[in-house]
Amino acid sequence: MLPAKQNANRVDNDVFAQYESNVQSYARVFPQIFMRALGSEMWDVNGRRYLDFLSGAGSLNFGHNNPVLKQALIDYIVQDGITHSLDLHTSAKAQFLEAMQEIVLRPRGLDYVVQFTGPTGTNSVEAALKIARKATGRTNIVYFTNGFHGVSLGALSVTGNEFYRRAAGVPLPNAISMPYDGHLGDGVDTIDHLDRALSDPFNGIELPAAVILEVVQGEGGLNTVSIEWLRRLEELCNKKGIVLIIDDIQAGCGRTGSFFSFEPAGINPDIVTLSKSLSGYGLPCAVVLLKRPLDVWEPGQHNGTFRGNNHAFITATAMLNHYWRTTEFAESVVEKGSYLSNRLQSLVDCFSPHLIEVRGRGMMIGVVCADPKRASAITSNAFEQGLVIERSGAEDEVIKCMMPLTTSCPELDEGVDILARVIAEELGVRTLRSRKAVSTRSGHDLELQV
Ligand SMILES: *Cc1c(COP(=O)(O)O)cnc(C)c1O
């Protein structure tokens, strides 16, 4: 239920400015006090409704307070099910492990053991890097331009973003940056570049322990690698005995139209990191999936107090059972993704050269703006119109659509219509041509002044 007005007024707007650290970021872009959320909708303390095209940066793939997962969680709590368990064996964890094997891994021909790490994405990346170093006895990790892997020191050392790196306060060694697919322009295959860098004994690069990458770069601007590129990377890693780590923290759990982002390439990564939408419910949960020969840990050698969030295991298991036993859900993501992509493409066609292209895959796509300031104005104005949507990329130039995968078609249209309207307003293109292109698909007229 929405709060009584009187209740809402008790929230002091200044409390965050006064008492919370300056480090806040999303809160500055969306300066309201939120109170309630369901599916793809959020409400602030004044009862105003918003559509959520951010969904916890991809942590809410199954929507806010998903009713199926919520019921499983409520039932478990009512029965006094274990909440916190370090790494003790619990029935909730057993169910999750079984569901993961039976529903996700076995049907895809993937044989991994599961390491539960601390509950954040960066925790699982730290563990993955340690495993690769311990298993190979080497130190270097290759990462790619525009990659983002978290902000603790190890994960940060393989993250390209200078703004985040500067905050480390110490050098970030033992990591080598290489160009992502497409980074050196259309004519250059960056796998050739990587192969040469690793093969030439005169270039001073020691053989790395691992290569880490995102198949679709969430924070780095929705760049993607081609299937061919990914296959060649796997081949190169196999040839040289380098551990291939796919960071599927953001692109995994269905976001790109398959459970794992790398599935279309048919590769078999050595290690996969998962977090964000893994619990399905926005509860903290992270794992490393690793091939058995890489399970080189001695008992207790890597630990963490919050490795046993049983509430997350309950909702994760419910998520796997409900959405992943058949292909129906994944197909709906592909369908909605391509609908969204078409609508965004029509905006690009209309507002080129201010809008450059549509990027990404599945329901992890966005529009690249020529001028990052314009992207900023567009997302701010969208928020005024009741749409929560963020940007990504080196200069925050990409408007990124990350609505829950469960978003209904009318909601999808509603959000894209808002976006189309604010883009049209911001770019000030008020021609018949734009009117025609912008008002296609959803059938809603954008009331552009001609
Ligand atoms: C968000 C993210 C991380 C870090 O996860 P946190 O929970 O924020 O520590 C790592 N890798 C990728 C690809 C991410 O999107």
Side-chain angles (χ1 to χ4, degrees), residues 193-215:
H193 184 88
L194 177 63
D195 193 359
R196 211 165 311 145
L198 298 180
S199 303
D200 184 346
F202 287 89
N203 68 11
I205 294 180
E206 263 174 54
L207 192 64
V211 162
I212 185 167
L213 76 151
E214 300 159 271
V215 171

Side-chain angles (χ1 to χ4, degrees), residues 73-370:
L73 182 58
I74 288 170
D75 292 347
Y76 182 78
I77 291 173
V78 166
Q79 292 157 24
D80 289 326
I82 294 269
T83 299
H84 176 279
S85 62
L86 296 169
D87 68 4
L88 294 175
H89 293 167
T90 63
S91 56
K93 192 201 269 189
Q95 284 165 23
F96 170 69
L97 282 170
E98 276 167 4
M100 197 70 194
Q101 291 295 332
E102 184 198 332
I103 302 168
V104 177
L105 300 180
R106 224 172 288 140
R108 290 166 179 76
L110 299 167
D111 185 25
Y112 294 126
V113 292
V114 179
Q115 179 186 354
F116 294 91
T117 66
T120 68
T122 202
N123 290 146
S124 67
V125 169
E126 293 291 339
L129 301 181
K130 279 171 75 172
I131 293 164
R133 287 177 169 135
K134 189 166 156 57
T136 60
R138 303 180 211 131
T139 50
N140 281 338
I141 310 283
V142 163
Y143 66 100
F144 292 94
T145 47
N146 288 91
F148 177 83
H149 301 287
V151 296
S152 58
L153 289 181
L156 192 54
S157 73
V158 293
T159 289
N161 188 311
E162 186 53 33
F163 175 68
Y164 296 130
R165 289 180 75 91
R166 244 184 289 131
V170 292
L172 297 169
N174 307 317
I176 305 163
S177 171
M178 285 286 161
Y180 195 71
D181 190 10
H183 191 74
L184 299 178
D186 283 345
V188 184
D189 186 335
T190 59
I191 292 294
D192 287 342
H193 184 88
L194 177 63
D195 193 359
R196 211 165 311 145
L198 298 180
S199 303
D200 184 346
F202 287 89
N203 68 11
I205 294 180
E206 263 174 54
L207 192 64
V211 162
I212 185 167
L213 76 151
E214 300 159 271
V215 171
V216 181
Q217 295 185 321
E219 301 308 300
L222 303 176
N223 310 299
T224 60
V225 294
S226 73
I227 283 177
E228 186 52 29
W229 190 94
L230 202 48
R231 287 183 182 150
R232 289 194 64 207
L233 178 63
E234 181 185 50
E235 215 172 280
L236 180 62
C237 287
N238 287 344
K239 190 173 78 184
K240 300 208 173 277
I242 300 166
V243 175
L244 176 59
I245 305 172
I246 299 288
D247 179 349
D248 233 5
I249 289 169
Q250 190 163 155
C253 299
R255 179 51 66 179
T256 64
S258 47
F259 189 87
F260 296 111
S261 63
F262 55 82
E263 284 175 47
I267 62 162
N268 187 353
D270 298 306
I271 295 181
V272 181
T273 56
L274 288 177
S275 181
K276 288 204 165 88
S277 271
L278 180 59
S279 77
Y281 202 70
L283 294 170
C285 187
V287 297
V288 177
L289 306 176
L290 57 149
K291 283 185 179 166
R292 287 169 197 278
L294 285 173
D295 196 7
V296 292
W297 292 119
E298 284 162 42
Q301 201 171 27
H302 186 87
N303 62 23
T305 306
F306 288 104
R307 284 172 298 152
N309 182 354
N310 286 261
H311 289 176
F313 300 154
I314 290 293
T315 54
T317 305
M319 177 268 283
L320 295 176
N321 275 311
H322 191 73
Y323 292 102
W324 298 98
R325 281 200 178 273
T326 68
T327 55
E328 205 178 310
F329 180 71
E331 283 158 12
S332 78
V333 174
V334 172
E335 252 169 57
K336 282 191 258 187
S338 90
Y339 176 72
L340 188 60
S341 172
N342 284 336
R343 287 215 55 194
L344 297 180
Q345 186 58 50
S346 79
L347 284 170
V348 171
D349 294 344
C350 179
F351 295 118
S352 164
H354 301 295
L355 298 183
I356 297 172
E357 62 176 341
V358 178
R359 264 202 214 141
R361 244 181 54 201
M363 287 176 78
M364 189 168 181
I365 55 181
V367 192
V368 186
C369 297

